[in-house]
Amino acid sequence: MRLKTAILDSLAEEIVKYKVYPSDNEVEEVAEALVSSHPCLKEPGSATGYGGWKVSLKYKLANYRRKLKRLGCPEVELNSLTNKPVDKCTPAYGVKKPRRAQVNYCPTYPSGESAETLEKIRENLLLDVRKRNNEDTLAAMMEKTFAHRRQEVIRDAPLIADYKTRWPALFCVRELTAEFKRITTVSLLSKFFSKLDAHSSKLMRVSGKKGGVQG
């Protein structure tokens, strides 16, 4: 029993480095990989040999998330029952998870900062965005308030118009590309141009069929 607990603890700790809320299929893949790598752990009498491991791992992850919530993990806090509608207050309802490539889905606040201090910086941004030749100052403030924006997007899902009113500094090329990189760790322009190059021949053919001068 101690060995099984140690294995489950290690697996859960490793999984949450990548996803706090893995899907059912992903948990099954981990359980399958476990018994595949260590045949001695295969469950006798089980159709798959890892069904019990899968169930135990799901319970272990649920317990691990409770620990993360006590430690103030924002992604777990946003998915807690206290943040769900009263008539749909179940753990499985509306779980907010990162989409593909969202590496920094729900980051924690910078050390020494809180929702209140970051909101104050946001209010100052509304004034600083009107100043000329202020790009570097804006960039530093936008970097610092990144976690505040992400939690706002995930928790409230605001309309674009409302979001633009609250964060006008975000809606320029420099800050949009910076925000994309903060979330995905990928350069937006490099990604865009690489995809454009990959499809350039098809785009040229489509353009040629429509007539006119290419270029």
PDB file of all heavy atoms in Angstrom, residues 35 39-53:
ATOM      1  N   VAL A  35       1.801   0.671 -16.318  1.00  0.00           N
ATOM      2  CA  VAL A  35       1.879  -0.796 -16.299  1.00  0.00           C
ATOM      3  C   VAL A  35       2.649  -1.331 -17.502  1.00  0.00           C
ATOM      4  O   VAL A  35       3.198  -2.432 -17.456  1.00  0.00           O
ATOM      5  CB  VAL A  35       0.474  -1.431 -16.229  1.00  0.00           C
ATOM      6  CG1 VAL A  35      -0.250  -1.002 -14.968  1.00  0.00           C
ATOM      7  CG2 VAL A  35      -0.354  -1.074 -17.455  1.00  0.00           C
ATOM      8  N   PRO A  39       5.552  -3.924 -15.854  1.00  0.00           N
ATOM      9  CA  PRO A  39       4.565  -5.013 -15.933  1.00  0.00           C
ATOM     10  C   PRO A  39       4.215  -5.623 -14.581  1.00  0.00           C
ATOM     11  O   PRO A  39       3.115  -6.168 -14.413  1.00  0.00           O
ATOM     12  CB  PRO A  39       5.253  -6.043 -16.836  1.00  0.00           C
ATOM     13  CG  PRO A  39       6.220  -5.240 -17.648  1.00  0.00           C
ATOM     14  CD  PRO A  39       6.698  -4.152 -16.743  1.00  0.00           C
ATOM     15  N   CYS A  40       5.119  -5.520 -13.610  1.00  0.00           N
ATOM     16  CA  CYS A  40       4.842  -6.086 -12.287  1.00  0.00           C
ATOM     17  C   CYS A  40       3.682  -5.370 -11.588  1.00  0.00           C
ATOM     18  O   CYS A  40       3.108  -5.885 -10.625  1.00  0.00           O
ATOM     19  CB  CYS A  40       6.088  -6.033 -11.408  1.00  0.00           C
ATOM     20  SG  CYS A  40       6.713  -4.359 -11.117  1.00  0.00           S
ATOM     21  N   LEU A  41       3.334  -4.176 -12.080  1.00  0.00           N
ATOM     22  CA  LEU A  41       2.239  -3.405 -11.483  1.00  0.00           C
ATOM     23  C   LEU A  41       0.893  -3.701 -12.139  1.00  0.00           C
ATOM     24  O   LEU A  41      -0.133  -3.163 -11.727  1.00  0.00           O
ATOM     25  CB  LEU A  41       2.529  -1.901 -11.591  1.00  0.00           C
ATOM     26  CG  LEU A  41       3.775  -1.393 -10.855  1.00  0.00           C
ATOM     27  CD1 LEU A  41       3.972   0.096 -11.127  1.00  0.00           C
ATOM     28  CD2 LEU A  41       3.658  -1.645  -9.357  1.00  0.00           C
ATOM     29  N   LYS A  42       0.901  -4.551 -13.152  1.00  0.00           N
ATOM     30  CA  LYS A  42      -0.345  -4.880 -13.841  1.00  0.00           C
ATOM     31  C   LYS A  42      -1.297  -5.591 -12.890  1.00  0.00           C
ATOM     32  O   LYS A  42      -0.897  -6.460 -12.123  1.00  0.00           O
ATOM     33  CB  LYS A  42      -0.050  -5.763 -15.051  1.00  0.00           C
ATOM     34  CG  LYS A  42      -1.239  -5.954 -15.974  1.00  0.00           C
ATOM     35  CD  LYS A  42      -0.832  -6.678 -17.254  1.00  0.00           C
ATOM     36  CE  LYS A  42      -2.011  -6.803 -18.208  1.00  0.00           C
ATOM     37  NZ  LYS A  42      -1.629  -7.476 -19.477  1.00  0.00           N
ATOM     38  N   GLU A  43      -2.563  -5.217 -12.949  1.00  0.00           N
ATOM     39  CA  GLU A  43      -3.568  -5.740 -12.024  1.00  0.00           C
ATOM     40  C   GLU A  43      -4.130  -7.070 -12.529  1.00  0.00           C
ATOM     41  O   GLU A  43      -4.705  -7.127 -13.624  1.00  0.00           O
ATOM     42  CB  GLU A  43      -4.704  -4.730 -11.866  1.00  0.00           C
ATOM     43  CG  GLU A  43      -4.257  -3.397 -11.301  1.00  0.00           C
ATOM     44  CD  GLU A  43      -5.272  -2.294 -11.525  1.00  0.00           C
ATOM     45  OE1 GLU A  43      -6.040  -2.379 -12.505  1.00  0.00           O
ATOM     46  OE2 GLU A  43      -5.288  -1.364 -10.723  1.00  0.00           O
ATOM     47  N   PRO A  44      -3.985  -8.123 -11.763  1.00  0.00           N
ATOM     48  CA  PRO A  44      -4.542  -9.421 -12.180  1.00  0.00           C
ATOM     49  C   PRO A  44      -6.071  -9.382 -12.184  1.00  0.00           C
ATOM     50  O   PRO A  44      -6.693  -8.783 -11.313  1.00  0.00           O
ATOM     51  CB  PRO A  44      -4.017 -10.383 -11.109  1.00  0.00           C
ATOM     52  CG  PRO A  44      -3.738  -9.522  -9.918  1.00  0.00           C
ATOM     53  CD  PRO A  44      -3.297  -8.201 -10.463  1.00  0.00           C
ATOM     54  N   GLY A  45      -6.651  -9.983 -13.191  1.00  0.00           N
ATOM     55  CA  GLY A  45      -8.104 -10.026 -13.280  1.00  0.00           C
ATOM     56  C   GLY A  45      -8.730  -8.803 -13.901  1.00  0.00           C
ATOM     57  O   GLY A  45      -9.938  -8.749 -14.119  1.00  0.00           O
ATOM     58  N   SER A  46      -7.914  -7.796 -14.202  1.00  0.00           N
ATOM     59  CA  SER A  46      -8.428  -6.572 -14.813  1.00  0.00           C
ATOM     60  C   SER A  46      -8.404  -6.707 -16.330  1.00  0.00           C
ATOM     61  O   SER A  46      -7.462  -7.262 -16.898  1.00  0.00           O
ATOM     62  CB  SER A  46      -7.579  -5.371 -14.387  1.00  0.00           C
ATOM     63  OG  SER A  46      -7.911  -4.224 -15.142  1.00  0.00           O
ATOM     64  N   ALA A  47      -9.441  -6.206 -16.986  1.00  0.00           N
ATOM     65  CA  ALA A  47      -9.524  -6.316 -18.443  1.00  0.00           C
ATOM     66  C   ALA A  47      -8.365  -5.595 -19.119  1.00  0.00           C
ATOM     67  O   ALA A  47      -7.822  -6.060 -20.124  1.00  0.00           O
ATOM     68  CB  ALA A  47     -10.851  -5.749 -18.934  1.00  0.00           C
ATOM     69  N   THR A  48      -7.989  -4.460 -18.564  1.00  0.00           N
ATOM     70  CA  THR A  48      -6.897  -3.679 -19.156  1.00  0.00           C
ATOM     71  C   THR A  48      -5.583  -3.853 -18.399  1.00  0.00           C
ATOM     72  O   THR A  48      -4.513  -3.635 -18.960  1.00  0.00           O
ATOM     73  CB  THR A  48      -7.256  -2.185 -19.160  1.00  0.00           C
ATOM     74  OG1 THR A  48      -7.456  -1.743 -17.805  1.00  0.00           O
ATOM     75  CG2 THR A  48      -8.523  -1.932 -19.966  1.00  0.00           C
ATOM     76  N   GLY A  49      -5.699  -4.198 -17.143  1.00  0.00           N
ATOM     77  CA  GLY A  49      -4.500  -4.318 -16.322  1.00  0.00           C
ATOM     78  C   GLY A  49      -4.139  -3.034 -15.602  1.00  0.00           C
ATOM     79  O   GLY A  49      -3.227  -3.007 -14.776  1.00  0.00           O
ATOM     80  N   TYR A  50      -4.883  -1.952 -15.911  1.00  0.00           N
ATOM     81  CA  TYR A  50      -4.561  -0.668 -15.276  1.00  0.00           C
ATOM     82  C   TYR A  50      -5.805   0.119 -14.857  1.00  0.00           C
ATOM     83  O   TYR A  50      -5.705   1.280 -14.451  1.00  0.00           O
ATOM     84  CB  TYR A  50      -3.719   0.202 -16.220  1.00  0.00           C
ATOM     85  CG  TYR A  50      -4.357   0.457 -17.575  1.00  0.00           C
ATOM     86  CD1 TYR A  50      -5.333   1.435 -17.740  1.00  0.00           C
ATOM     87  CD2 TYR A  50      -3.979  -0.279 -18.687  1.00  0.00           C
ATOM     88  CE1 TYR A  50      -5.918   1.676 -18.968  1.00  0.00           C
ATOM     89  CE2 TYR A  50      -4.554  -0.050 -19.927  1.00  0.00           C
ATOM     90  CZ  TYR A  50      -5.519   0.934 -20.064  1.00  0.00           C
ATOM     91  OH  TYR A  50      -6.094   1.163 -21.289  1.00  0.00           O
ATOM     92  N   GLY A  51      -6.969  -0.508 -14.934  1.00  0.00           N
ATOM     93  CA  GLY A  51      -8.209   0.199 -14.586  1.00  0.00           C
ATOM     94  C   GLY A  51      -8.203   0.753 -13.174  1.00  0.00           C
ATOM     95  O   GLY A  51      -8.621   1.891 -12.924  1.00  0.00           O
ATOM     96  N   GLY A  52      -7.730  -0.056 -12.227  1.00  0.00           N
ATOM     97  CA  GLY A  52      -7.668   0.399 -10.838  1.00  0.00           C
ATOM     98  C   GLY A  52      -6.689   1.540 -10.651  1.00  0.00           C
ATOM     99  O   GLY A  52      -6.933   2.463  -9.866  1.00  0.00           O
ATOM    100  N   TRP A  53      -5.576   1.486 -11.372  1.00  0.00           N
ATOM    101  CA  TRP A  53      -4.596   2.574 -11.310  1.00  0.00           C
ATOM    102  C   TRP A  53      -5.210   3.881 -11.809  1.00  0.00           C
ATOM    103  O   TRP A  53      -4.970   4.953 -11.237  1.00  0.00           O
ATOM    104  CB  TRP A  53      -3.368   2.226 -12.150  1.00  0.00           C
ATOM    105  CG  TRP A  53      -2.430   1.273 -11.498  1.00  0.00           C
ATOM    106  CD1 TRP A  53      -2.252  -0.052 -11.792  1.00  0.00           C
ATOM    107  CD2 TRP A  53      -1.533   1.560 -10.421  1.00  0.00           C
ATOM    108  NE1 TRP A  53      -1.305  -0.607 -10.969  1.00  0.00           N
ATOM    109  CE2 TRP A  53      -0.840   0.364 -10.117  1.00  0.00           C
ATOM    110  CE3 TRP A  53      -1.241   2.701  -9.683  1.00  0.00           C
ATOM    111  CZ2 TRP A  53       0.121   0.280  -9.111  1.00  0.00           C
ATOM    112  CZ3 TRP A  53      -0.282   2.631  -8.677  1.00  0.00           C
ATOM    113  CH2 TRP A  53       0.389   1.435  -8.395  1.00  0.00           C
TER     114      TRP A  53
END
